[in-house]
Amino acid sequence: MAGVSAKSDGPMSKTRQELLQQQIRAIKNELGENDDDEDDVVSLEKKMQEAAMPPNVWKHAQRELRRLRKMQPQQPGYGTSRTYLELLAELPWKIASEEHEVDLAAAKVRLDSEHYGLSKVKKRIIEYLAVRKLKPDARGPVLCFVGPPGVGKTSLASSIAGALGRRFIRISLGGVKDEADIRGHRRTYIGSMPGRLIDGIKRVGVNNPVMLLDEIDKTGTDVRGDLASALLEVLDPEQNKTFNDHYLNVPFDVSKVVFLATANRMQSMPAPLLDRMEIIELPGYTCEEKLRIAVLHLIPRVLEQHGITNEHISIPEATVELIIQRYTREAGVRNLGRHLAALARAAAVKVAEKEQSVRLSREMQTEMIYHGAQGLGAAAAEADMEEEAMGIREKEIIPLATKPDPLLVDEVVLDTVLGPPKFDGREAAERVATPGVAVGLVWTEVGGEVLFVESTAMLGKGDLHLTGQLGDIIKESAHIALTWVRARSAELKLPVAEAGSLMKERDIHIHFPAGAVPKDGPSAGVTLVTALVSLFAKRNVRADTAMTGEMTLRGLVLPVGGIKDKILAAHRCGIRRVILPERNRKDLQEVPAAILKNMEIILAKRMEDVLHQAFEGGCPWKPASRL
Ligand code: ADP
């Protein structure tokens, strides 16, 4: 053993190294340890060689491998070092999908066959593909699909990947708060890992995929600056040739990746990032569009996924309309797809049960014949047995199995499978049936929504109570609204004003239902005033009218955002009159003409105009002189 421990003075000769390694192996054998770990490292090295890393990375990897060789598997750090080398070996340094020339006609057919409508979006995608065809390394902006969930952002991106003949990978950025999520943690941290980008590249296995940065607007707010700069580095063609992941610690070239992005809303995106993107908006679908999407795309897809066909289930268009109106109230078609899947499952159970009973009856019949034949006791019967069984199967069982009895989905089936309807057209009428309630339109992450503002008065000391998870801005709007109504109680000829102050010995409570959903923003201003005037005047607001707009203390109506989504939401809920700020007139261009045709849009400059339109028979208390 002394020979092993003795240090040699000069560099170790090769034969001496081998001798020592042999001795180590002999010692390990004696100790009962095998050579698995050694073999493991050898196979790792082979994998690394096959990965064809660039020379500088290869040098770095070999250094790390030498370190690993010197370590015992039980030693701390062995595991992390190994995992790191595995990552280096698995990354597609040289592997790329073959790049075909883009076939524009085929891409168009593909987009049309996979997506209904969206003609403007498809046109823009074809333009994008045309530029890539003419100049494959074009450094155009990154396409970013913006819209509520379920409108087809992800599936459009995957169609683009298909058209380019590249692999597709989606990286979810929702909830990413830390720059390290994108760029990785340094290996000195315990539990460190590569960032989502490198991890995505590893998973997809090629270095030129189409990579969808999903929910790019949902990255956390705390360290936005850093996050945005990490993302910018990824998207910047000048910098992304040598993208540096902290964990990887060697540059990786992501310049061949085709980046696309999705976001729910543009407003929350950092400006420098927005600058690098070309925004393509998908506002959501009308009921008619949803019906066509369901019939042409969702139902065939859902049936196929559940292994059933039209012979097993029949969903008439009228039923699809019922699902759209009574069970979903979304801008996209995601829940619609889920409900259709639930119906397909119910049909699948029916089919499976029927098959089982057919099989059982077939077995029983075979058995009966078998026993019958035995009863005959004749040898000939035994020979005929099989034939006879076949005969019966043909005569009786096959007609039973092929005679399909499809599950016809009607209102009753909807009720049993999906439960009682979640919405009905009468909601607005019922809720606005008492004074003090007005219908507002708000903008949320999932598109536009209809929101009811409820107010009530009670004995008290003149306080204003607000509930419904409200942010600061909406609370301020409520105070402005109350002040405005109080200041004009005489002009508005509010009956209670005659008693002196509007708030004398009274408290007002305003509630925004769906208390679990946080709400903020100034666009509820006009709705708040209308609800309060309705409360004090004891008159109902028109149930067919919804409104949106910010109001100043002097009663001017200011423009608000998300007009298109809000009008679509009103339309979905069966509301046919919408009061909007006059200065939002330009936004009406974006609303599909088919929707506008069915709606009455009223543009208001001042709060008095809104009130005049919000009540049946106008607003008799409209003051002659405007302040
Ligand atoms: P998003 O990414 O916007 O949340 P998805 O791309 O995941 O939405 O779409 C949800 C589902 O709806 C997918 O199955 C998609 O194919 C389908 N879908 C959405 N829009 C359309 C459309 N216009 N035509 C056909 N299917 C659609």
Side-chain angles (χ1 to χ4, degrees), residues 307-524:
I308 53 176
T309 65
N310 281 333
E311 290 184 349
H312 303 117
I313 186 169
S314 153
I315 314 180
E317 287 196 6
T319 310
V320 180
E321 266 174 20
L322 280 185
I323 306 176
I324 294 170
Q325 281 158 11
R326 299 192 181 169
Y327 291 89
T328 67
R329 206 158 260 183
E330 51 176 358
V333 291
R334 190 162 289 166
N335 282 329
L336 177 60
R338 280 196 196 119
H339 290 315
L340 291 171
L343 292 171
R345 282 198 298 275
V349 170
K350 199 173 162 230
V351 173
E353 275 175 356
K354 199 169 158 205
E355 270 184 10
Q356 195 174 2
S357 69
V358 167
R359 207 178 313 125
L360 272 178
S361 73
R362 187 186 298 165
E363 277 166 14
M364 270 169 59
Q365 279 165 348
T366 319
E367 211 155 280
M368 270 164 55
I369 292 159
Y370 181 69
H371 287 306
Q374 271 192 339
L376 279 176
E382 208 170 306
D384 288 345
M385 190 181 70
E386 213 172 307
E387 210 175 287
E388 212 169 318
M390 290 290 290
I392 285 192
R393 208 176 296 153
E394 266 163 31
K395 263 187 251 137
E396 288 168 32
I397 301 174
I398 292 186
L400 194 69
T402 52
K403 199 200 288 170
D405 172 21
L407 173 70
L408 176 68
V409 184
D410 55 10
E411 234 180 302
V412 181
V413 176
L414 282 189
D415 210 69
T416 18
V417 179
L418 305 181
K422 293 198 182 73
F423 312 98
D424 61 30
R426 299 187 307 275
E427 194 189 6
E430 278 169 11
R431 293 181 75 166
V432 187
T434 49
V437 186
V439 191
L441 293 171
V442 289
W443 206 96
T444 68
E445 302 260 298
V446 294
E449 267 197 56
V450 169
L451 176 104
F452 294 86
V453 175
E454 297 176 348
S455 61
T456 190
M458 62 217 154
L459 275 182
K461 294 181 288 191
D463 293 334
L464 174 65
H465 305 279
L466 296 167
T467 48
Q469 271 221 57
L470 310 178
D472 286 342
I473 301 178
I474 208 163
K475 282 185 190 159
E476 285 174 3
S477 295
H479 282 284
I480 295 174
L482 185 60
T483 307
W484 190 86
V485 177
R486 286 176 72 177
R488 280 153 192 79
S489 57
E491 286 134 306
L492 289 167
K493 299 202 183 79
L494 297 176
V496 278
E498 285 143 25
S501 161
L502 211 55
M503 302 286 286
K504 194 173 174 196
E505 292 173 2
R506 291 214 285 186
D507 277 3
I508 302 293
H509 186 150
I510 301 179
H511 179 60
F512 289 73
V517 184
K519 306 165 200 76
D520 202 11
S523 70

Side-chain angles (χ1 to χ4, degrees), residues 132-324:
R132 285 204 77 91
K133 181 183 164 112
L134 297 181
K135 201 165 182 299
D137 56 348
R139 293 178 173 180
V142 174
L143 290 189
C144 178
F145 298 107
V146 178
V151 290
K153 301 184 294 294
T154 314
S155 67
L156 279 171
S158 111
S159 292
I160 294 183
L164 290 172
R166 308 240 192 145
R167 288 208 199 159
F168 179 66
I169 176 98
R170 173 179 155 267
I171 303 187
S172 172
L173 295 179
V176 165
K177 286 223 164 50
D178 195 343
E179 190 195 348
D181 275 329
I182 291 170
R183 242 199 254 271
H185 289 274
R186 288 189 196 286
R187 275 201 296 143
T188 38
Y189 286 93
I190 293 173
S192 56
M193 330 181 254
R196 295 192 188 195
L197 190 88
I198 289 296
D199 183 56
I201 298 267
K202 186 187 103 181
R203 277 189 288 138
V204 75
V206 287
N207 60 17
N208 64 346
V210 169
M211 185 176 274
L212 180 68
L213 304 172
D214 207 7
E215 303 193 321
I216 202 161
D217 59 328
K218 295 269 181 60
T219 42
T221 44
D222 339 358
V223 277
R224 175 144 295 190
D226 286 342
L227 255 183
S229 71
L231 279 174
L232 275 176
E233 187 185 325
V234 172
L235 299 177
D236 184 357
E238 300 300 326
Q239 296 183 49
N240 68 12
K241 267 199 164 55
T242 54
F243 174 70
N244 218 328
D245 183 282
H246 290 322
Y247 178 85
L248 198 60
N249 211 13
V250 282
F252 190 90
D253 181 0
V254 290
S255 62
K256 283 194 246 149
V257 178
V258 176
F259 288 103
L260 300 172
T262 76
N264 286 143
R265 51 192 307 187
M266 240 155 62
Q267 286 83 342
S268 46
M269 251 164 23
L273 210 53
L274 209 55
D275 208 42
R276 280 283 308 135
M277 311 233 182
E278 172 161 346
I279 302 295
I280 298 185
E281 283 189 83
L282 291 105
Y285 299 114
T286 61
C287 292
E288 291 73 34
E289 284 173 324
K290 286 189 198 173
L291 177 66
R292 297 263 64 85
I293 293 175
V295 171
L296 297 174
H297 297 275
L298 300 182
I299 297 181
R301 203 179 308 151
V302 160
L303 295 195
E304 204 218 302
Q305 280 166 358
H306 290 78
I308 53 176
T309 65
N310 281 333
E311 290 184 349
H312 303 117
I313 186 169
S314 153
I315 314 180
E317 287 196 6
T319 310
V320 180
E321 266 174 20
L322 280 185
I323 306 176
I324 294 170

